[in-house]
Amino acid sequence: MNDFAHVLSADEKTQLNQTFIDLDKKTGTQTAVAIFETITPATIEDAAEEVFKSWKLGDAKRNDGVLLILAIKERAVRIEVGYGLEPKIPDALAGRIIKQDLVPLLKNQQYARAISLFAQQTERLLTGSGPPIDLIHTKADFADNFYLFFTLF
């Protein structure tokens, strides 16, 4: 739990640190959070990859770390998952967690609640507990993907 942007209180940091220690014990997966004031000139994808590699998250052989990265000024968020966990946390699920769970809280500057919810969702996915996240596309998702398809091609 690294709050370089200083958006969390001392109590929130302590509580979240314990949450991630417990998560590591339950799942055997190293999960980390990095909050930056800004990542300029990098993109959120590049910053996430750099932090993931430099912190050496997860087991080197299993490549099973998870990183939540927030860039406050850019209003950007990403969940970076090691290749060993792709079957349990594919990009579609990570995107769903960001869009449905984290963004509404982050928009209201509820950083600790968003990070706590990220930890809960990560635990649920890694342990297989709880109902699966609904991956059925909504009409809005279809429209977004339709537009993206024609924008790219």
Side-chain angles (χ1 to χ4, degrees):
M1 181 72 245
N2 293 280
D3 178 15
F4 303 111
H6 308 290
V7 296
L8 301 172
S9 71
D11 288 341
E12 288 170 332
K13 286 183 209 174
T14 301
Q15 186 176 12
L16 288 168
N17 273 325
Q18 188 58 54
T19 296
F20 287 104
I21 290 168
D22 294 344
L23 181 60
D24 187 15
K25 287 178 184 175
K26 288 179 187 175
T27 65
T29 298
Q30 189 177 15
T31 305
V33 176
I35 307 170
F36 295 96
E37 180 64 34
T38 185
I39 55 170
T40 300
T43 64
I44 192 71
E45 294 82 9
D46 291 342
E49 188 176 325
E50 178 63 30
V51 170
F52 196 91
K53 286 180 181 177
S54 67
W55 289 0
K56 299 179 181 170
L57 293 175
D59 181 80
K61 290 183 182 179
R62 293 190 312 256
N63 193 6
D64 63 350
V66 180
L67 171 68
L68 173 67
I69 184 169
L70 306 174
I72 304 303
K73 183 176 179 182
E74 291 83 0
R75 299 173 56 107
V77 57
R78 180 168 174 84
I79 297 172
E80 188 77 12
V81 178
Y83 291 118
L85 288 180
E86 283 286 331
K88 290 186 177 185
I89 310 176
D91 290 342
L93 281 176
R96 223 17 104 124
I97 291 168
I98 290 169
K99 185 177 181 180
Q100 293 180 347
D101 296 336
L102 305 185
V103 167
L105 295 170
L106 295 172
K107 281 184 177 181
N108 292 314
Q109 299 178 349
Q110 296 177 343
Y111 302 109
R113 286 188 62 200
I115 295 165
S116 180
L117 186 53
F118 161 74
Q120 291 169 20
Q121 290 284 42
T122 301
E123 179 181 346
R124 189 177 59 71
L125 292 170
L126 294 177
T127 62
S129 63
I133 293 176
D134 181 13
L135 285 178
I136 298 172
H137 293 290
T138 64
K139 289 180 183 177
D141 290 335
F142 177 77
D144 291 345
N145 291 335
F146 184 78
Y147 176 76
L148 180 63
F149 174 79
F150 279 99
T151 302
L152 293 176
F153 298 98

mmCIF file of all heavy atoms in Angstrom, residues 70-105:
data_model
loop_
_atom_site.group_PDB
_atom_site.id
_atom_site.type_symbol
_atom_site.label_atom_id
_atom_site.label_comp_id
_atom_site.label_asym_id
_atom_site.label_seq_id
_atom_site.Cartn_x
_atom_site.Cartn_y
_atom_site.Cartn_z
ATOM 1 N N LEU A 70 -3.448 3.922 -9.235
ATOM 2 C CA LEU A 70 -4.298 5.094 -9.403
ATOM 3 C C LEU A 70 -3.410 6.294 -9.708
ATOM 4 O O LEU A 70 -2.378 6.485 -9.061
ATOM 5 C CB LEU A 70 -5.074 5.400 -8.119
ATOM 6 C CG LEU A 70 -5.920 4.301 -7.501
ATOM 7 C CD1 LEU A 70 -6.478 4.758 -6.160
ATOM 8 C CD2 LEU A 70 -7.026 3.898 -8.430
ATOM 9 N N ALA A 71 -3.832 7.090 -10.676
ATOM 10 C CA ALA A 71 -3.161 8.349 -10.992
ATOM 11 C C ALA A 71 -4.202 9.445 -10.800
ATOM 12 O O ALA A 71 -5.138 9.564 -11.600
ATOM 13 C CB ALA A 71 -2.625 8.341 -12.408
ATOM 14 N N ILE A 72 -4.063 10.217 -9.737
ATOM 15 C CA ILE A 72 -5.096 11.166 -9.331
ATOM 16 C C ILE A 72 -5.299 12.272 -10.365
ATOM 17 O O ILE A 72 -6.427 12.512 -10.809
ATOM 18 C CB ILE A 72 -4.757 11.771 -7.947
ATOM 19 C CG1 ILE A 72 -4.572 10.661 -6.890
ATOM 20 C CG2 ILE A 72 -5.831 12.765 -7.527
ATOM 21 C CD1 ILE A 72 -5.762 9.735 -6.709
ATOM 22 N N LYS A 73 -4.241 12.950 -10.754
ATOM 23 C CA LYS A 73 -4.379 14.075 -11.686
ATOM 24 C C LYS A 73 -4.959 13.625 -13.025
ATOM 25 O O LYS A 73 -5.808 14.299 -13.604
ATOM 26 C CB LYS A 73 -3.020 14.751 -11.906
ATOM 27 C CG LYS A 73 -3.088 15.969 -12.795
ATOM 28 C CD LYS A 73 -1.741 16.647 -12.912
ATOM 29 C CE LYS A 73 -1.814 17.853 -13.826
ATOM 30 N NZ LYS A 73 -0.494 18.478 -13.986
ATOM 31 N N GLU A 74 -4.521 12.459 -13.506
ATOM 32 C CA GLU A 74 -4.992 11.944 -14.787
ATOM 33 C C GLU A 74 -6.362 11.274 -14.683
ATOM 34 O O GLU A 74 -6.956 10.943 -15.704
ATOM 35 C CB GLU A 74 -3.976 10.935 -15.361
ATOM 36 C CG GLU A 74 -2.681 11.564 -15.806
ATOM 37 C CD GLU A 74 -1.687 11.785 -14.666
ATOM 38 O OE1 GLU A 74 -1.994 11.446 -13.496
ATOM 39 O OE2 GLU A 74 -0.613 12.326 -14.917
ATOM 40 N N ARG A 75 -6.803 11.064 -13.440
ATOM 41 C CA ARG A 75 -8.069 10.361 -13.200
ATOM 42 C C ARG A 75 -8.056 9.011 -13.905
ATOM 43 O O ARG A 75 -8.991 8.632 -14.615
ATOM 44 C CB ARG A 75 -9.257 11.204 -13.632
ATOM 45 C CG ARG A 75 -9.351 12.513 -12.857
ATOM 46 C CD ARG A 75 -10.426 13.424 -13.380
ATOM 47 N NE ARG A 75 -11.725 12.787 -13.390
ATOM 48 C CZ ARG A 75 -12.725 13.050 -12.563
ATOM 49 N NH1 ARG A 75 -12.562 13.976 -11.654
ATOM 50 N NH2 ARG A 75 -13.860 12.428 -12.660
ATOM 51 N N ALA A 76 -6.954 8.284 -13.703
ATOM 52 C CA ALA A 76 -6.749 7.004 -14.374
ATOM 53 C C ALA A 76 -6.574 5.899 -13.348
ATOM 54 O O ALA A 76 -6.016 6.114 -12.270
ATOM 55 C CB ALA A 76 -5.530 7.082 -15.280
ATOM 56 N N VAL A 77 -7.055 4.729 -13.691
ATOM 57 C CA VAL A 77 -6.957 3.565 -12.818
ATOM 58 C C VAL A 77 -6.715 2.335 -13.685
ATOM 59 O O VAL A 77 -7.215 2.253 -14.808
ATOM 60 C CB VAL A 77 -8.237 3.405 -11.949
ATOM 61 C CG1 VAL A 77 -9.475 3.303 -12.812
ATOM 62 C CG2 VAL A 77 -8.127 2.227 -11.006
ATOM 63 N N ARG A 78 -5.939 1.406 -13.154
ATOM 64 C CA ARG A 78 -5.678 0.160 -13.887
ATOM 65 C C ARG A 78 -5.414 -0.950 -12.889
ATOM 66 O O ARG A 78 -4.813 -0.732 -11.838
ATOM 67 C CB ARG A 78 -4.479 0.323 -14.808
ATOM 68 C CG ARG A 78 -4.158 -0.951 -15.603
ATOM 69 C CD ARG A 78 -3.157 -0.673 -16.700
ATOM 70 N NE ARG A 78 -2.752 -1.887 -17.364
ATOM 71 C CZ ARG A 78 -3.411 -2.473 -18.362
ATOM 72 N NH1 ARG A 78 -4.547 -1.946 -18.787
ATOM 73 N NH2 ARG A 78 -2.949 -3.566 -18.924
ATOM 74 N N ILE A 79 -5.856 -2.138 -13.258
ATOM 75 C CA ILE A 79 -5.513 -3.354 -12.526
ATOM 76 C C ILE A 79 -4.568 -4.138 -13.422
ATOM 77 O O ILE A 79 -4.933 -4.530 -14.527
ATOM 78 C CB ILE A 79 -6.761 -4.189 -12.189
ATOM 79 C CG1 ILE A 79 -7.696 -3.397 -11.265
ATOM 80 C CG2 ILE A 79 -6.350 -5.518 -11.548
ATOM 81 C CD1 ILE A 79 -9.039 -4.058 -11.023
ATOM 82 N N GLU A 80 -3.351 -4.313 -12.955
ATOM 83 C CA GLU A 80 -2.334 -5.063 -13.696
ATOM 84 C C GLU A 80 -2.224 -6.441 -13.055
ATOM 85 O O GLU A 80 -2.057 -6.557 -11.843
ATOM 86 C CB GLU A 80 -0.989 -4.325 -13.633
ATOM 87 C CG GLU A 80 0.076 -4.904 -14.498
ATOM 88 C CD GLU A 80 -0.091 -4.541 -15.964
ATOM 89 O OE1 GLU A 80 -0.897 -3.657 -16.320
ATOM 90 O OE2 GLU A 80 0.601 -5.166 -16.780
ATOM 91 N N VAL A 81 -2.327 -7.473 -13.875
ATOM 92 C CA VAL A 81 -2.351 -8.849 -13.381
ATOM 93 C C VAL A 81 -1.221 -9.628 -14.038
ATOM 94 O O VAL A 81 -1.045 -9.557 -15.256
ATOM 95 C CB VAL A 81 -3.712 -9.511 -13.722
ATOM 96 C CG1 VAL A 81 -3.746 -10.958 -13.258
ATOM 97 C CG2 VAL A 81 -4.854 -8.731 -13.097
ATOM 98 N N GLY A 82 -0.474 -10.380 -13.234
ATOM 99 C CA GLY A 82 0.563 -11.244 -13.785
ATOM 100 C C GLY A 82 -0.047 -12.322 -14.662
ATOM 101 O O GLY A 82 -1.185 -12.757 -14.439
ATOM 102 N N TYR A 83 0.703 -12.774 -15.653
ATOM 103 C CA TYR A 83 0.185 -13.758 -16.602
ATOM 104 C C TYR A 83 -0.307 -15.027 -15.912
ATOM 105 O O TYR A 83 -1.241 -15.665 -16.395
ATOM 106 C CB TYR A 83 1.246 -14.110 -17.640
ATOM 107 C CG TYR A 83 1.540 -12.979 -18.585
ATOM 108 C CD1 TYR A 83 2.805 -12.417 -18.651
ATOM 109 C CD2 TYR A 83 0.541 -12.463 -19.406
ATOM 110 C CE1 TYR A 83 3.081 -11.368 -19.507
ATOM 111 C CE2 TYR A 83 0.803 -11.413 -20.268
ATOM 112 C CZ TYR A 83 2.067 -10.871 -20.312
ATOM 113 O OH TYR A 83 2.326 -9.826 -21.154
ATOM 114 N N GLY A 84 0.285 -15.383 -14.803
ATOM 115 C CA GLY A 84 -0.133 -16.587 -14.086
ATOM 116 C C GLY A 84 -1.538 -16.499 -13.514
ATOM 117 O O GLY A 84 -2.155 -17.524 -13.218
ATOM 118 N N LEU A 85 -2.057 -15.287 -13.372
ATOM 119 C CA LEU A 85 -3.410 -15.104 -12.826
ATOM 120 C C LEU A 85 -4.433 -14.739 -13.898
ATOM 121 O O LEU A 85 -5.611 -14.554 -13.580
ATOM 122 C CB LEU A 85 -3.410 -14.025 -11.739
ATOM 123 C CG LEU A 85 -2.761 -14.413 -10.437
ATOM 124 C CD1 LEU A 85 -2.825 -13.264 -9.444
ATOM 125 C CD2 LEU A 85 -3.426 -15.641 -9.838
ATOM 126 N N GLU A 86 -3.999 -14.627 -15.148
ATOM 127 C CA GLU A 86 -4.943 -14.269 -16.219
ATOM 128 C C GLU A 86 -6.175 -15.166 -16.260
ATOM 129 O O GLU A 86 -7.275 -14.679 -16.501
ATOM 130 C CB GLU A 86 -4.246 -14.258 -17.581
ATOM 131 C CG GLU A 86 -3.398 -13.027 -17.817
ATOM 132 C CD GLU A 86 -4.221 -11.784 -18.110
ATOM 133 O OE1 GLU A 86 -5.328 -11.885 -18.656
ATOM 134 O OE2 GLU A 86 -3.734 -10.694 -17.776
ATOM 135 N N PRO A 87 -6.051 -16.481 -16.011
ATOM 136 C CA PRO A 87 -7.263 -17.308 -16.024
ATOM 137 C C PRO A 87 -8.271 -16.926 -14.928
ATOM 138 O O PRO A 87 -9.474 -17.045 -15.127
ATOM 139 C CB PRO A 87 -6.743 -18.726 -15.801
ATOM 140 C CG PRO A 87 -5.315 -18.685 -16.244
ATOM 141 C CD PRO A 87 -4.835 -17.302 -15.896
ATOM 142 N N LYS A 88 -7.776 -16.461 -13.807
ATOM 143 C CA LYS A 88 -8.669 -16.090 -12.699
ATOM 144 C C LYS A 88 -9.128 -14.638 -12.774
ATOM 145 O O LYS A 88 -10.226 -14.313 -12.324
ATOM 146 C CB LYS A 88 -7.984 -16.343 -11.357
ATOM 147 C CG LYS A 88 -7.814 -17.803 -11.043
ATOM 148 C CD LYS A 88 -7.278 -18.004 -9.653
ATOM 149 C CE LYS A 88 -7.205 -19.494 -9.351
ATOM 150 N NZ LYS A 88 -6.806 -19.759 -7.982
ATOM 151 N N ILE A 89 -8.258 -13.758 -13.274
ATOM 152 C CA ILE A 89 -8.599 -12.331 -13.396
ATOM 153 C C ILE A 89 -8.242 -11.872 -14.813
ATOM 154 O O ILE A 89 -7.248 -11.177 -15.021
ATOM 155 C CB ILE A 89 -7.864 -11.467 -12.345
ATOM 156 C CG1 ILE A 89 -8.026 -12.026 -10.944
ATOM 157 C CG2 ILE A 89 -8.382 -10.018 -12.403
ATOM 158 C CD1 ILE A 89 -7.250 -11.285 -9.877
ATOM 159 N N PRO A 90 -9.057 -12.266 -15.786
ATOM 160 C CA PRO A 90 -8.788 -11.799 -17.151
ATOM 161 C C PRO A 90 -9.078 -10.306 -17.280
ATOM 162 O O PRO A 90 -9.726 -9.706 -16.420
ATOM 163 C CB PRO A 90 -9.740 -12.633 -18.011
ATOM 164 C CG PRO A 90 -10.815 -13.060 -17.085
ATOM 165 C CD PRO A 90 -10.198 -13.147 -15.708
ATOM 166 N N ASP A 91 -8.590 -9.719 -18.338
ATOM 167 C CA ASP A 91 -8.765 -8.279 -18.554
ATOM 168 C C ASP A 91 -10.226 -7.850 -18.506
ATOM 169 O O ASP A 91 -10.544 -6.777 -18.001
ATOM 170 C CB ASP A 91 -8.157 -7.862 -19.896
ATOM 171 C CG ASP A 91 -6.635 -7.924 -19.886
ATOM 172 O OD1 ASP A 91 -6.049 -7.952 -18.785
ATOM 173 O OD2 ASP A 91 -6.038 -7.944 -20.973
ATOM 174 N N ALA A 92 -11.125 -8.697 -19.018
ATOM 175 C CA ALA A 92 -12.558 -8.349 -19.013
ATOM 176 C C ALA A 92 -13.072 -8.185 -17.584
ATOM 177 O O ALA A 92 -13.821 -7.251 -17.286
ATOM 178 C CB ALA A 92 -13.364 -9.404 -19.753
ATOM 179 N N LEU A 93 -12.664 -9.078 -16.692
ATOM 180 C CA LEU A 93 -13.088 -8.970 -15.291
ATOM 181 C C LEU A 93 -12.454 -7.763 -14.611
ATOM 182 O O LEU A 93 -13.113 -7.051 -13.853
ATOM 183 C CB LEU A 93 -12.738 -10.236 -14.519
ATOM 184 C CG LEU A 93 -13.672 -11.420 -14.714
ATOM 185 C CD1 LEU A 93 -13.140 -12.632 -13.977
ATOM 186 C CD2 LEU A 93 -15.061 -11.092 -14.242
ATOM 187 N N ALA A 94 -11.186 -7.546 -14.864
ATOM 188 C CA ALA A 94 -10.509 -6.382 -14.281
ATOM 189 C C ALA A 94 -11.194 -5.098 -14.735
ATOM 190 O O ALA A 94 -11.441 -4.188 -13.933
ATOM 191 C CB ALA A 94 -9.033 -6.376 -14.659
ATOM 192 N N GLY A 95 -11.518 -5.021 -16.010
ATOM 193 C CA GLY A 95 -12.215 -3.857 -16.546
ATOM 194 C C GLY A 95 -13.586 -3.662 -15.924
ATOM 195 O O GLY A 95 -14.005 -2.534 -15.627
ATOM 196 N N ARG A 96 -14.283 -4.768 -15.702
ATOM 197 C CA ARG A 96 -15.607 -4.706 -15.073
ATOM 198 C C ARG A 96 -15.505 -4.188 -13.634
ATOM 199 O O ARG A 96 -16.325 -3.384 -13.202
ATOM 200 C CB ARG A 96 -16.168 -6.106 -15.066
ATOM 201 C CG ARG A 96 -17.596 -6.432 -15.415
ATOM 202 C CD ARG A 96 -18.360 -5.428 -16.134
ATOM 203 N NE ARG A 96 -18.493 -5.783 -17.512
ATOM 204 C CZ ARG A 96 -19.629 -5.898 -18.139
ATOM 205 N NH1 ARG A 96 -20.749 -5.672 -17.531
ATOM 206 N NH2 ARG A 96 -19.658 -6.196 -19.401
ATOM 207 N N ILE A 97 -14.507 -4.670 -12.908
ATOM 208 C CA ILE A 97 -14.309 -4.210 -11.528
ATOM 209 C C ILE A 97 -14.037 -2.707 -11.516
ATOM 210 O O ILE A 97 -14.603 -1.968 -10.715
ATOM 211 C CB ILE A 97 -13.162 -4.994 -10.848
ATOM 212 C CG1 ILE A 97 -13.585 -6.446 -10.624
ATOM 213 C CG2 ILE A 97 -12.757 -4.330 -9.531
ATOM 214 C CD1 ILE A 97 -12.443 -7.363 -10.231
ATOM 215 N N ILE A 98 -13.181 -2.262 -12.414
ATOM 216 C CA ILE A 98 -12.869 -0.830 -12.481
ATOM 217 C C ILE A 98 -14.120 -0.030 -12.798
ATOM 218 O O ILE A 98 -14.462 0.923 -12.097
ATOM 219 C CB ILE A 98 -11.758 -0.561 -13.524
ATOM 220 C CG1 ILE A 98 -10.420 -1.109 -13.023
ATOM 221 C CG2 ILE A 98 -11.656 0.929 -13.830
ATOM 222 C CD1 ILE A 98 -9.335 -1.129 -14.076
ATOM 223 N N LYS A 99 -14.797 -0.414 -13.856
ATOM 224 C CA LYS A 99 -15.941 0.359 -14.348
ATOM 225 C C LYS A 99 -17.117 0.358 -13.380
ATOM 226 O O LYS A 99 -17.709 1.404 -13.098
ATOM 227 C CB LYS A 99 -16.372 -0.200 -15.709
ATOM 228 C CG LYS A 99 -17.472 0.586 -16.385
ATOM 229 C CD LYS A 99 -17.764 0.000 -17.760
ATOM 230 C CE LYS A 99 -18.841 0.777 -18.466
ATOM 231 N NZ LYS A 99 -19.132 0.205 -19.792
ATOM 232 N N GLN A 100 -17.472 -0.810 -12.879
ATOM 233 C CA GLN A 100 -18.675 -0.919 -12.055
ATOM 234 C C GLN A 100 -18.443 -0.641 -10.577
ATOM 235 O O GLN A 100 -19.321 -0.112 -9.913
ATOM 236 C CB GLN A 100 -19.301 -2.300 -12.214
ATOM 237 C CG GLN A 100 -19.863 -2.535 -13.587
ATOM 238 C CD GLN A 100 -20.480 -3.916 -13.729
ATOM 239 O OE1 GLN A 100 -20.291 -4.797 -12.896
ATOM 240 N NE2 GLN A 100 -21.224 -4.113 -14.795
ATOM 241 N N ASP A 101 -17.283 -1.018 -10.070
ATOM 242 C CA ASP A 101 -17.048 -0.929 -8.622
ATOM 243 C C ASP A 101 -16.200 0.267 -8.219
ATOM 244 O O ASP A 101 -16.540 0.992 -7.290
ATOM 245 C CB ASP A 101 -16.374 -2.210 -8.111
ATOM 246 C CG ASP A 101 -17.238 -3.441 -8.276
ATOM 247 O OD1 ASP A 101 -18.469 -3.303 -8.349
ATOM 248 O OD2 ASP A 101 -16.677 -4.545 -8.341
ATOM 249 N N LEU A 102 -15.083 0.457 -8.895
ATOM 250 C CA LEU A 102 -14.118 1.452 -8.441
ATOM 251 C C LEU A 102 -14.416 2.865 -8.911
ATOM 252 O O LEU A 102 -14.338 3.808 -8.115
ATOM 253 C CB LEU A 102 -12.702 1.047 -8.877
ATOM 254 C CG LEU A 102 -12.226 -0.342 -8.447
ATOM 255 C CD1 LEU A 102 -10.776 -0.547 -8.841
ATOM 256 C CD2 LEU A 102 -12.446 -0.575 -6.969
ATOM 257 N N VAL A 103 -14.733 3.038 -10.179
ATOM 258 C CA VAL A 103 -14.915 4.381 -10.723
ATOM 259 C C VAL A 103 -15.977 5.193 -9.962
ATOM 260 O O VAL A 103 -15.725 6.357 -9.635
ATOM 261 C CB VAL A 103 -15.203 4.344 -12.241
ATOM 262 C CG1 VAL A 103 -15.695 5.682 -12.751
ATOM 263 C CG2 VAL A 103 -13.935 3.932 -12.990
ATOM 264 N N PRO A 104 -17.140 4.624 -9.647
ATOM 265 C CA PRO A 104 -18.118 5.436 -8.894
ATOM 266 C C PRO A 104 -17.573 5.945 -7.555
ATOM 267 O O PRO A 104 -17.846 7.084 -7.163
ATOM 268 C CB PRO A 104 -19.290 4.478 -8.680
ATOM 269 C CG PRO A 104 -19.186 3.501 -9.803
ATOM 270 C CD PRO A 104 -17.714 3.322 -10.031
ATOM 271 N N LEU A 105 -16.781 5.134 -6.878
ATOM 272 C CA LEU A 105 -16.188 5.562 -5.611
ATOM 273 C C LEU A 105 -15.063 6.567 -5.828
ATOM 274 O O LEU A 105 -14.957 7.557 -5.101
ATOM 275 C CB LEU A 105 -15.668 4.353 -4.832
ATOM 276 C CG LEU A 105 -16.739 3.370 -4.361
ATOM 277 C CD1 LEU A 105 -16.104 2.097 -3.827
ATOM 278 C CD2 LEU A 105 -17.641 4.006 -3.322
#
